[in-house]
Amino acid sequence: MGEKCCESGTEQNGVTMILSCSGGSNVGQLANQAAVELTREGYGKMFCLAGIGGHLSGFVQSAKDVDKLVVIDGCEIGCSRAILDHLKIPMTAYVVLTKDPGIEKNKDFNLKREEIEKVKETVKTAGKMTKAEAGAAGSVCCA
Amino acid sequence: MEVKILGPGCPKCQQTEKVVKEALQEAGVQANVEKVKDTMEIANYGVFGTPAVVIDGEVKSVGKIPKKEEVLQWLKK
């Protein structure tokens, strides 16, 4: 898997998989909503993190074999990243909403349109980052 | 051994089936190879794309044509 991850040129092919933490806070739900809207808009395709966390082989292998994997965590606890690290699944881009775009975590589920848009833009920008930058952000890719 | 090739029957699916069958022959492994084309049945495996290869219920490969060497490794386990 590491070899595939580090091959040049492969990451631009195929569909981008989007995984979001979808947790029980505003940032968790912002991550989820951004993933839903980015899927609707054709940026990528949201996939089931719960299936990966459950170690179901179809979900785990799909995440391992996809060319480009974008992960959105709501906060710095980093549950999504922890799931992927545990299974040694490399990410190509990683976003933490409390860090960048710097949204404060709370329990208000009335999501703000401007914050959803900000998250989507952050994800799109992160999707352009290099493998080295993704590694610095916590990806196991090329570690 | 039960081997399933998940996919609608596209050229990549056909190539995947060919590679798997070659690997089975080379390894001398007897297996029932089934092509799964039904979309709902494929969805039940939780795969992100096709073709996908399932060996004895475990998904081994998704969205690509596996190399014969990879398949041979899967058959050893």
Side-chain angles (χ1 to χ4, degrees), chain A residues 4 15-18 45-47 57-59 61-63 65-66, chain B residues 43-49 57-64 67:
Chain A
K4 184 186 175 194
V15 179
T16 298
M17 178 186 284
I18 306 168
K45 198 171 160 190
M46 191 180 184
F47 198 57
S57 68
F59 293 89
Q61 197 60 46
S62 292
D65 284 347
V66 77
Chain B
N44 285 337
Y45 284 92
V47 293
F48 190 64
E58 189 175 344
V59 178
K60 296 291 189 181
S61 168
V62 179
K64 63 178 186 177
K67 293 189 174 77

Coordinates of all heavy atoms in Angstrom, one line a residue, chain A residues 4 15-18 45-47 57-59 61-63 65-66, chain B residues 43-49 57-64 67:
Chain A
K4 N 2.1 2.1 -3.4 CA 1.1 2.7 -4.3 C 0.9 4.2 -3.9 O 0.8 5.1 -4.7 CB -0.3 2.0 -4.2 CG -1.3 2.5 -5.1 CD -2.6 1.9 -4.9 CE -3.6 2.6 -5.8 NZ -5.0 2.3 -5.5
V15 N -11.9 8.6 -8.6 CA -12.7 9.5 -7.8 C -12.1 9.7 -6.4 O -11.4 8.8 -5.9 CB -14.1 8.7 -7.6 CG1 -15.0 9.5 -6.7 CG2 -14.7 8.4 -8.9
T16 N -12.3 10.9 -5.9 CA -11.8 11.2 -4.6 C -12.7 10.7 -3.5 O -13.9 11.0 -3.6 CB -11.6 12.8 -4.4 OG1 -10.7 13.2 -5.4 CG2 -11.2 13.2 -3.0
M17 N -12.2 9.9 -2.6 CA -13.0 9.5 -1.5 C -13.0 10.5 -0.4 O -12.0 11.0 0.0 CB -12.5 8.1 -1.0 CG -13.3 7.6 0.2 SD -12.6 6.1 0.9 CE -13.0 4.8 -0.3
I18 N -14.2 10.8 0.2 CA -14.3 11.8 1.3 C -14.8 11.1 2.5 O -15.8 10.4 2.5 CB -15.3 12.9 0.9 CG1 -14.9 13.6 -0.4 CG2 -15.3 14.0 2.1 CD1 -16.0 14.6 -0.9
K45 N -16.6 11.7 -3.5 CA -17.7 10.8 -3.1 C -17.6 10.5 -1.7 O -16.6 9.9 -1.3 CB -17.7 9.6 -4.0 CG -18.9 8.8 -4.1 CD -18.8 7.7 -5.1 CE -19.8 6.6 -5.0 NZ -19.5 5.5 -5.8
M46 N -18.6 10.9 -0.9 CA -18.5 10.5 0.6 C -18.6 9.0 0.7 O -19.4 8.3 0.0 CB -19.7 11.2 1.3 CG -19.6 11.2 2.8 SD -21.0 12.0 3.5 CE -20.6 11.9 5.2
F47 N -17.9 8.5 1.7 CA -17.9 7.1 2.0 C -18.0 6.9 3.5 O -17.9 7.8 4.3 CB -16.5 6.5 1.5 CG -16.6 5.0 1.3 CD1 -17.5 4.4 0.5 CD2 -15.6 4.2 1.9 CE1 -17.5 3.0 0.3 CE2 -15.6 2.8 1.7 CZ -16.5 2.2 0.9
S57 N -14.3 -5.6 5.6 CA -13.3 -5.7 4.6 C -13.5 -4.9 3.3 O -12.6 -4.3 2.8 CB -13.0 -7.1 4.2 OG -14.1 -7.7 3.5
G58 N -14.8 -4.8 2.9 CA -15.1 -4.0 1.7 C -14.8 -2.6 1.9 O -14.3 -1.9 1.0
F59 N -15.1 -2.0 3.1 CA -14.9 -0.6 3.4 C -13.4 -0.4 3.5 O -12.8 0.6 3.0 CB -15.7 -0.2 4.6 CG -17.1 -0.2 4.4 CD1 -17.9 -1.4 4.7 CD2 -17.8 0.9 3.9 CE1 -19.3 -1.4 4.5 CE2 -19.2 0.9 3.8 CZ -19.9 -0.3 4.0
Q61 N -10.8 -2.1 2.5 CA -10.0 -2.3 1.2 C -10.3 -1.2 0.3 O -9.4 -0.8 -0.5 CB -10.3 -3.7 0.6 CG -9.3 -4.1 -0.4 CD -7.9 -4.3 0.2 OE1 -7.7 -4.8 1.2 NE2 -6.9 -3.7 -0.5
S62 N -11.5 -0.7 0.2 CA -11.9 0.4 -0.6 C -11.0 1.6 -0.3 O -10.5 2.3 -1.2 CB -13.3 0.8 -0.5 OG -14.1 -0.2 -1.0
A63 N -10.9 1.9 1.0 CA -10.1 3.1 1.4 C -8.6 2.9 1.1 O -7.9 3.8 0.8 CB -10.3 3.3 2.9
D65 N -7.4 1.1 -1.4 CA -7.2 1.1 -2.9 C -7.5 2.3 -3.6 O -7.2 2.5 -4.8 CB -8.0 -0.1 -3.5 CG -7.3 -1.5 -3.2 OD1 -6.2 -1.5 -2.7 OD2 -8.0 -2.5 -3.4
V66 N -8.2 3.3 -3.0 CA -8.6 4.5 -3.7 C -7.4 5.4 -4.0 O -6.4 5.4 -3.2 CB -9.7 5.3 -2.9 CG1 -9.1 6.0 -1.7 CG2 -10.5 6.2 -3.8
Chain B
A43 N -23.4 -3.8 -3.7 CA -23.4 -2.7 -2.6 C -23.3 -3.4 -1.2 O -22.8 -2.8 -0.3 CB -24.7 -1.9 -2.7
N44 N -23.8 -4.6 -1.1 CA -23.8 -5.2 0.2 C -22.4 -5.5 0.7 O -22.1 -5.8 1.9 CB -24.6 -6.5 0.2 CG -26.1 -6.3 0.2 OD1 -26.5 -5.2 0.7 ND2 -26.9 -7.2 -0.3
Y45 N -21.4 -5.5 -0.2 CA -20.0 -5.7 0.1 C -19.3 -4.4 0.6 O -18.2 -4.5 1.1 CB -19.2 -6.4 -1.0 CG -19.5 -7.8 -1.2 CD1 -20.5 -8.2 -2.1 CD2 -18.8 -8.8 -0.5 CE1 -20.9 -9.6 -2.3 CE2 -19.1 -10.1 -0.7 CZ -20.1 -10.5 -1.5 OH -20.4 -11.9 -1.7
G46 N -20.0 -3.3 0.4 CA -19.5 -2.0 0.9 C -18.3 -1.6 0.1 O -17.4 -0.9 0.7
V47 N -18.2 -1.9 -1.1 CA -17.1 -1.5 -1.9 C -17.3 -0.1 -2.6 O -18.4 0.2 -2.9 CB -16.7 -2.5 -3.0 CG1 -16.2 -3.8 -2.4 CG2 -17.8 -2.8 -4.0
F48 N -16.3 0.7 -2.7 CA -16.3 2.0 -3.2 C -16.4 2.0 -4.8 O -16.9 3.0 -5.4 CB -15.1 2.8 -2.8 CG -15.1 4.3 -3.0 CD1 -16.0 5.1 -2.4 CD2 -14.1 4.8 -3.9 CE1 -16.0 6.5 -2.6 CE2 -14.1 6.2 -4.1 CZ -15.1 7.0 -3.5
G49 N -15.9 1.0 -5.4 CA -15.9 0.9 -6.8 C -15.7 -0.6 -7.3 O -15.6 -1.5 -6.4
G57 N -15.3 -14.6 1.3 CA -16.0 -13.5 2.1 C -15.2 -12.3 2.4 O -15.8 -11.3 2.9
E58 N -14.0 -12.3 2.1 CA -13.1 -11.1 2.4 C -12.8 -10.3 1.2 O -12.3 -10.9 0.2 CB -11.9 -11.5 3.2 CG -11.1 -10.3 3.7 CD -9.9 -10.7 4.6 OE1 -9.8 -11.9 5.0 OE2 -9.0 -9.9 4.8
V59 N -13.1 -9.0 1.2 CA -12.7 -8.2 0.0 C -11.2 -8.0 0.0 O -10.6 -7.5 0.9 CB -13.5 -6.8 0.1 CG1 -13.1 -6.0 -1.1 CG2 -15.0 -7.1 0.1
K60 N -10.6 -8.3 -1.2 CA -9.2 -8.2 -1.3 C -8.7 -7.0 -2.1 O -7.6 -6.6 -2.1 CB -8.6 -9.5 -1.9 CG -8.9 -10.8 -1.1 CD -8.0 -10.7 0.2 CE -8.0 -12.0 0.9 NZ -7.2 -11.9 2.2
S61 N -9.6 -6.6 -3.0 CA -9.1 -5.6 -4.0 C -10.4 -4.8 -4.5 O -11.4 -5.4 -4.7 CB -8.5 -6.3 -5.2 OG -8.3 -5.4 -6.3
V62 N -10.2 -3.5 -4.6 CA -11.3 -2.6 -5.0 C -10.9 -1.6 -6.1 O -9.9 -0.9 -5.9 CB -11.9 -1.9 -3.8 CG1 -13.1 -1.0 -4.3 CG2 -12.4 -2.8 -2.7
G63 N -11.7 -1.6 -7.2 CA -11.5 -0.5 -8.2 C -10.3 -0.6 -9.0 O -9.9 0.4 -9.7
K64 N -9.7 -1.8 -9.1 CA -8.5 -1.9 -9.9 C -8.4 -3.4 -10.4 O -9.0 -4.3 -9.8 CB -7.3 -1.5 -9.2 CG -7.0 -2.3 -8.0 CD -5.7 -1.9 -7.2 CE -5.4 -2.9 -6.1 NZ -4.2 -2.6 -5.4
K67 N -2.8 -7.4 -9.7 CA -1.7 -8.2 -10.4 C -1.8 -9.6 -10.0 O -2.2 -10.0 -8.9 CB -0.3 -7.6 -9.9 CG -0.1 -6.2 -10.4 CD 1.4 -5.8 -10.0 CE 1.7 -4.4 -10.6 NZ 1.1 -3.3 -9.8

